Amino acid sequence: DAGVTQSPTHLIKTRGQQVTLRCSPISGHKSVSWYQQVLGQGPQFIFQYYEKEERGRGNFPDRFSARQFPNYSSELNVNALLLGDSALYLCASSFLAGTGELFFGEGSRLTVL
Amino acid sequence: QKEVEQDPGPLSVPEGAIVSLNCTYSNSAFQYFMWYRQYSRKGPELLMYTYSSGNKEDGRFTAQVDKSSKYISLFIRDSQPSDSATYLCAMEAAGNKLTFGGGTRVLVKP
């Protein structure tokens, strides 16, 4: 069975640009969450979507946005990139929302120059 | 003060030893407790998932939760070089987000 898949795996952007990251959850999972992991730190919660509705948002600026599609896949968008946005962006899926049993993808590594 | 505290390590042990990891937390609303293993440049892999206080064993792994002390532990028996990784504790209140510790880097030497 396929796990959580994310694309692209690596990308390099310059300050001020915009980026879109994509995620496909495990088949049958209806909840998708996004986390940012800066090198040497634990992941930090950005968004959770369940059944295409936003269920939670972390302490991130409005430059970060996301959506979930009818097939439960998801996109994370970041506008006006800053150097500090360089990180590993992780997508996680779960069957339900709020149970804690999240399964993560390999992440998209974003470098902002 | 962070909601979840975890010693960053590195924790170096000889092969076959018991690895002992722990996290402390401040939010009494946390009720789901998890341990993830993360290899370098990979996504976190769920190892153990527990609800509320108590012990849970799965193969070489044992997770303990003490809600009265706001303290959770993970023990790895008969450690192997392949156990060398960063171990992340994570917690969730009833809701929608995990709060992670900073991770402990573990090195198991052959």
Side-chain angles (χ1 to χ4, degrees), chain B residues 38-74:
Chain B
Q38 187 174 29
Y39 292 112
S40 180
R41 298 187 172 273
K42 298 291 186 181
E45 172 193 8
L46 180 63
L47 288 177
M48 299 290 284
Y49 167 77
T50 55
Y51 172 69
S52 199
S53 285
N55 294 357
K56 183 175 181 178
E57 189 172 318
D58 185 1
R60 297 185 297 116
F61 299 93
T62 300
Q64 293 182 348
V65 174
D66 183 349
K67 291 191 73 178
S68 63
S69 301
K70 295 188 177 65
Y71 187 90
I72 70 169
S73 301
L74 177 71

Side-chain angles (χ1 to χ4, degrees), chain A residues 53-79:
Chain A
E53 292 189 1
E54 183 182 303
R55 286 296 190 93
R57 183 186 182 111
N59 188 24
F60 281 81
D62 291 343
R63 299 185 295 108
F64 289 77
S65 63
R67 55 179 175 169
Q68 187 177 32
F69 299 100
N71 66 353
Y72 302 111
S73 67
S74 178
E75 285 183 352
L76 175 70
N77 294 283
V78 187
N79 294 323

Side-chain angles (χ1 to χ4, degrees), chain A residues 26-68:
Chain A
I26 293 171
S27 178
H29 283 193
K30 301 180 179 181
S31 177
V32 170
S33 300
W34 288 94
Y35 287 77
Q36 180 197 63
Q37 187 176 24
V38 173
L39 193 63
Q41 298 181 17
Q44 279 200 294
F45 173 75
I46 311 176
F47 285 110
Q48 187 199 44
Y49 279 79
Y50 179 71
E51 289 281 17
K52 303 179 287 296
E53 292 189 1
E54 183 182 303
R55 286 296 190 93
R57 183 186 182 111
N59 188 24
F60 281 81
D62 291 343
R63 299 185 295 108
F64 289 77
S65 63
R67 55 179 175 169
Q68 187 177 32

Side-chain angles (χ1 to χ4, degrees), chain A residues 33 35 37 40-43 45 48 55-56 88 90 97-106 109, chain B residues 32 34 36 38 41-46 49 88 92-103:
Chain A
S33 300
Y35 287 77
Q37 187 176 24
Q41 298 181 17
F45 173 75
Q48 187 199 44
R55 286 296 190 93
L88 181 67
L90 295 162
T99 63
E101 203 164 10
L102 297 188
F103 297 89
F104 284 84
E106 297 292 352
R109 184 164 298 280
Chain B
Y32 300 97
M34 288 131 279
Y36 285 86
Q38 187 174 29
R41 298 187 172 273
K42 298 291 186 181
E45 172 193 8
L46 180 63
Y49 167 77
L88 297 157
E92 182 179 1
N96 50 24
K97 71 168 189 176
L98 296 187
T99 302
F100 282 85

